[in-house]
Amino acid sequence: MLRSLYSGAAGLMTHRTQMDVIGNNIANVNTTAYKTARVNFQDVLYQTIRPGGAGRNYAQVGTGVGVAGINVNFAQGMLQATGRTLDLAIQGEGFFVLSADARLYTADDGAGNVNNIDCNLVTTDPADKAYTTRKFTRSGVFFIDKDGYIVNSNGYRLLGEVYDVDDRTDNNENREALRIITRYNDGVRNIELRVATLNIGPDGKITGKYTNGVDIKFYHDDATTTGTPPIPNNAFWNAAPTEARILIATFPNKEGLKKIGQNLYEEDKNVSGKAKYEFADGSIISIASGYLEMSNVDLANEFVEMIKTQRGFQANARAITVSDTFLEELVNLKR
């Protein structure tokens, strides 16, 4: 059988994969913070017709083409103003950190510190669900749910650091799900609180006021990993005020993150490397409140790639057709 028949078939399959990627890019042209994907081709196994040596070059015939990889272009997308405080966009490197649980993790670092500040512990505790359910995203569409958690559209909680305003060196800062206190118990009944204003600075610091004019507070030092924290008591409410900052994760190889849909990524420490947790500094990395990062898909470029892919597919299909003609002629030689 002719090698060109199989080479043409390999070309059809790889160009089909490229068309799948292009189609997905175009479909997500208006998806918040979507990052363009690109297919890279590579030639595959060669058959040696004549070995090289004694002033003679190798004579080799290739057996087609394959997909070398599908890379993600993490170039910054344009920012679109929305005017909504909890629409957030990251300018620069990094991802928002999300979890279905209250804490980033609850493992002991070996020194008795359960809430280790660097948040880079690797725990083997199967009960540590928060560590295994971390998600990362560039899409910053957030809401405040009924329990005061800042969540995305799928209910994942935004993680950050909560600290006491009057004592930032107490080593009790917690990197946990950000939860604004919306009720507390004064010993007799639950007092409901409603957020009137909310402000998020370029460094990710969250401030605001309730409708009664008091500065908003965040639930601090949550001792649970799942579920809803208990309603704070009056003593907690009257304690030192708390502040919060949004956590940012960066990776040695962000292109190695695993896409899982819903604008989310998962870490694979063997490919992406381990997440480093930090905060926006307001310059190199900053958070823009009232803005959303748009998709970085370039439609003009995608249509050009579509034309190239279509022509490549047609050329490979023609190679199969011509190879079939050769085989037909061989079969007809006996006539």
Side-chain angles (χ1 to χ4, degrees):
M1 299 295 286
L2 296 175
R3 297 184 188 92
S4 58
L5 198 63
Y6 294 99
S7 295
L12 289 182
M13 289 186 288
T14 52
H15 282 83
R16 180 186 64 188
T17 300
Q18 185 176 30
M19 191 62 213
D20 290 340
V21 172
I22 292 171
N24 187 60
N25 287 340
I26 294 174
N28 285 283
V29 67
N30 289 318
T31 300
T32 304
Y34 176 79
K35 300 303 180 184
T36 307
R38 182 189 67 197
V39 178
N40 296 319
F41 292 167
Q42 66 180 2
D43 52 357
V44 292
L45 185 67
Y46 281 81
Q47 294 181 352
T48 300
I49 306 301
R50 186 183 67 182
R56 193 173 60 233
N57 294 329
Y58 278 93
Q60 295 177 298
V61 178
T63 56
V65 63
V67 175
I70 300 177
N71 300 110
V72 180
N73 176 14
F74 276 97
Q76 178 83 46
M78 293 181 60
L79 300 191
Q80 180 179 2
T82 65
R84 182 174 174 272
T85 303
L86 282 174
D87 284 344
L88 307 178
I90 298 175
Q91 292 181 285
E93 298 290 321
F95 299 81
F96 296 112
V97 187
L98 307 176
S99 176
D101 302 297
R103 282 194 187 273
L104 186 59
Y105 65 82
T106 57
D108 193 308
D109 66 357
N113 299 316
V114 174
N115 300 312
N116 190 274
I117 299 304
D118 64 14
C119 275
N120 283 324
L121 280 177
V122 176
T123 175
T124 57
D125 184 357
D128 185 14
K129 298 179 181 179
Y131 183 85
T132 59
T133 57
R134 287 176 304 167
K135 313 295 180 187
F136 306 93
T137 186
R138 295 276 299 188
S139 177
V141 182
F142 295 107
F143 309 88
I144 299 175
D145 71 6
K146 64 182 182 61
D147 296 313
Y149 285 109
I150 299 177
V151 299
N152 73 351
S153 302
N154 298 303
Y156 284 97
R157 296 165 178 172
L158 179 65
L159 299 187
E161 182 174 88
V162 181
Y163 49 85
D164 295 328
V165 174
D166 62 347
D167 187 3
R168 299 185 184 183
T169 61
D170 62 358
N171 295 322
N172 286 323
E173 295 87 351
N174 295 321
R175 294 185 173 178
E176 56 191 306
L178 297 177
R179 181 193 181 222
I180 299 172
I181 296 175
T182 56
R183 66 179 68 88
Y184 72 96
N185 189 287
D186 65 357
V188 178
R189 59 193 176 90
N190 292 337
I191 305 297
E192 298 293 329
L193 301 165
R194 298 189 182 278
V195 177
T197 61
L198 200 65
N199 300 292
I200 301 174
D203 60 354
K205 181 180 176 181
I206 306 175
T207 58
K209 290 185 179 298
Y210 296 110
T211 53
N212 61 6
V214 176
D215 291 339
I216 61 170
K217 284 188 176 185
F218 293 84
Y219 196 92
H220 185 32
D221 198 15
D222 177 15
T224 65
T225 57
T226 59
T228 303
I231 297 175
N233 58 29
N234 200 48
F236 182 94
W237 174 251
N238 291 324
T242 57
E243 290 184 353
R245 291 180 69 184
I246 296 171
L247 200 61
I248 299 293
T250 57
F251 296 87
N253 175 26
K254 58 181 178 290
E255 292 186 8
L257 291 169
K258 179 182 177 182
K259 289 184 176 182
I260 60 172
Q262 301 177 344
N263 289 342
L264 301 176
Y265 299 85
E266 280 186 347
E267 171 188 296
D268 184 339
K269 64 180 181 180
N270 295 319
V271 183
S272 63
K274 200 172 180 181
K276 177 184 177 183
Y277 298 96
E278 53 190 317
F279 300 100
D281 57 11
S283 56
I284 298 176
I285 301 176
S286 64
I287 295 176
S289 176
Y291 292 84
L292 288 177
E293 182 182 5
M294 296 293 96
S295 167
N296 67 356
V297 173
D298 184 336
L299 272 181
N301 183 67
E302 294 303 318
F303 284 127
V304 169
E305 290 298 318
M306 184 187 296
I307 293 171
K308 288 170 55 181
T309 302
Q310 181 183 15
R311 295 309 180 196
F313 190 92
Q314 288 176 332
N316 281 279
R318 182 55 58 88
I320 293 175
T321 302
V322 174
S323 298
D324 180 56
T325 303
F326 283 5
L327 290 174
E328 183 181 7
E329 291 297 324
L330 286 173
V331 171
N332 292 334
L333 280 177
K334 70 179 183 66
R335 296 182 180 180

